[in-house]
Amino acid sequence: MAQPPERATSVAQLKEAAASCQACDLWANATQTVFGEGAEHARLMLVGEQPGDQEDLQGKPFVGPAGQLLERALDEALIDRRRVYVTNAVKHFRWTRRGKRRLHEKPNAGQVRACRPWLEAEIEVVKPRLIVLLGATAAQAVMGPAFRVSKQHGEVLPSPLGIAVVATVHPSSILRATDDESRAAAMSSFIADLRVAAKHL
Ligand code: URA
């Protein structure tokens, strides 16, 4: 069973080792491990939940609809995506079949726990100054199960990792908004949280 190599010095080394990870059951139904990517020594790391359908097929984080929305929000917050490192709390796609579609399913606590050594190893190599936690899964993976994004988003907080974090919503939640008005409000709040992160760098 793959584990992060002890003294990894590059993301490439970690990515190679994670490709054969079977630390939880998710590898069996996923196309591939979707490891983090971006600037190797980025000051800002973004952590999402898990790869979606497109990410699973392409092998890259945040390349589907949520990724496109994230890119727009980063632009608005004057954060250059090429200068950040983007990853997920869980690195395999969890899904169930509905007809021809593969529907996203939230990873469970055991799956998040099994994947945590990879996130810790990425943080060790990248050494970001600040981590943005996108949504409840990432936020609780780092801050603990009692953490509430709705109450503590947009604040620079100390974390058990010894690195400051800013929690915010997951971009998919904005895509799921039921009307234009609530979508626009959610997007503004997301951009405001990202601006807090940009200011801290
Ligand atoms: N949602 C995530 O949390 N991560 C991705 O990479 C894509 C969608």
Side-chain angles (χ1 to χ4, degrees), residues 30 37 54-55 65 69 83 97 108 119-120 124 157 166 173 179 185 187:
E37 64 172 35
Q54 282 303 310
E55 289 79 14
L69 186 141
R83 299 188 68 184
R97 184 163 295 287
N108 65 36
L119 180 61
E120 287 175 358
E124 191 66 36
L157 301 168
V166 172
S173 68
D179 58 81
M187 186 68 169

Coordinates of all heavy atoms in Angstrom, one line a residue, residues 30 37 54-55 65 69 83 97 108 119-120 124 157 166 173 179 185 187:
A30 N -12.2 4.5 -9.3 CA -11.7 5.8 -9.9 C -10.8 5.5 -11.1 O -10.2 4.4 -11.1 CB -10.9 6.6 -8.8
E37 N -1.4 20.0 -7.9 CA -0.4 20.5 -8.9 C -0.4 22.0 -8.8 O -1.3 22.7 -8.3 CB -0.7 20.0 -10.3 CG -2.0 20.5 -10.9 CD -2.1 20.2 -12.4 OE1 -1.6 19.1 -12.8 OE2 -2.7 21.0 -13.1
Q54 N -14.7 15.3 -14.3 CA -13.7 15.7 -15.3 C -12.2 15.5 -14.8 O -11.3 15.2 -15.5 CB -13.9 17.2 -15.6 CG -15.0 17.4 -16.6 CD -14.8 16.7 -17.8 OE1 -13.8 16.7 -18.5 NE2 -15.8 15.9 -18.2
E55 N -12.1 15.9 -13.5 CA -10.7 15.7 -12.9 C -10.3 14.3 -12.9 O -9.1 14.0 -13.2 CB -10.8 16.3 -11.4 CG -10.9 17.8 -11.3 CD -12.3 18.3 -11.5 OE1 -13.3 17.4 -11.5 OE2 -12.5 19.5 -11.7
P65 N -16.2 22.2 -14.2 CA -17.0 23.4 -14.0 C -16.6 24.1 -12.7 O -16.5 25.4 -12.6 CB -18.4 22.9 -13.9 CG -18.4 21.6 -14.6 CD -17.0 21.0 -14.4
L69 N -15.1 28.0 -12.3 CA -15.6 29.1 -11.4 C -14.5 29.6 -10.5 O -14.4 30.8 -10.2 CB -16.8 28.5 -10.6 CG -17.5 29.6 -9.8 CD1 -19.1 29.4 -9.8 CD2 -17.1 29.6 -8.3
R83 N 0.4 30.8 -9.8 CA 1.3 31.0 -8.7 C 0.8 30.3 -7.4 O 1.4 30.4 -6.4 CB 1.5 32.5 -8.4 CG 2.2 33.1 -9.6 CD 2.5 34.5 -9.3 NE 3.6 34.6 -8.4 CZ 4.1 35.7 -7.9 NH1 3.6 36.9 -8.2 NH2 5.1 35.7 -7.0
R97 N -23.3 5.6 -9.8 CA -23.9 5.6 -11.1 C -25.3 6.0 -11.1 O -26.1 5.5 -10.3 CB -23.7 4.3 -11.9 CG -24.1 4.4 -13.3 CD -23.6 3.3 -14.2 NE -22.2 3.3 -14.4 CZ -21.5 4.1 -15.1 NH1 -22.1 5.1 -15.7 NH2 -20.2 4.0 -15.3
N108 N -16.2 9.8 2.9 CA -16.5 9.7 4.4 C -15.3 10.0 5.2 O -14.2 10.2 4.7 CB -17.1 8.3 4.7 CG -16.1 7.2 4.4 OD1 -14.9 7.3 4.6 ND2 -16.7 6.1 3.9
L119 N -1.8 14.9 1.9 CA -2.0 16.3 2.1 C -0.8 16.9 3.0 O -0.2 17.9 2.7 CB -3.3 16.6 2.7 CG -3.6 18.1 3.0 CD1 -3.6 18.9 1.6 CD2 -5.0 18.3 3.7
E120 N -0.5 16.1 4.1 CA 0.6 16.6 4.9 C 1.9 16.6 4.2 O 2.7 17.5 4.4 CB 0.6 15.7 6.2 CG -0.5 15.9 7.1 CD -0.6 15.0 8.3 OE1 0.3 14.1 8.4 OE2 -1.5 15.1 9.1
E124 N 4.4 19.7 3.4 CA 5.8 19.6 3.8 C 6.7 20.1 2.7 O 7.7 20.7 2.9 CB 6.1 18.2 4.2 CG 7.4 17.9 4.9 CD 7.5 18.5 6.2 OE1 6.5 18.6 6.9 OE2 8.6 18.9 6.6
L157 N -7.0 32.1 10.3 CA -7.0 31.4 11.6 C -5.8 30.5 11.7 O -5.3 30.0 10.7 CB -8.2 30.5 11.6 CG -9.6 31.1 11.4 CD1 -10.7 30.0 11.2 CD2 -10.0 31.9 12.7
V166 N -7.5 30.1 5.7 CA -8.7 30.8 5.5 C -9.7 29.8 5.0 O -9.4 29.2 3.9 CB -8.6 32.0 4.5 CG1 -9.9 32.6 4.2 CG2 -7.7 33.1 5.1
S173 N -20.7 24.7 -4.6 CA -21.9 25.2 -3.9 C -22.5 26.4 -4.6 O -23.7 26.7 -4.6 CB -21.7 25.5 -2.4 OG -20.8 26.6 -2.2
D179 N -30.9 30.4 -7.9 CA -31.3 31.6 -8.7 C -30.1 32.5 -8.8 O -29.2 32.4 -8.1 CB -32.5 32.3 -8.0 CG -32.2 32.7 -6.6 OD1 -31.6 33.8 -6.5 OD2 -32.6 32.0 -5.7
A185 N -24.7 36.6 -4.9 CA -24.3 36.9 -3.5 C -23.2 35.9 -3.0 O -22.2 36.3 -2.4 CB -25.5 36.8 -2.6
M187 N -21.1 34.2 -4.9 CA -19.8 34.5 -5.6 C -19.1 35.7 -4.9 O -17.9 35.6 -4.7 CB -20.1 34.7 -7.1 CG -18.9 34.9 -7.9 SD -18.0 33.3 -8.1 CE -16.9 33.7 -9.4

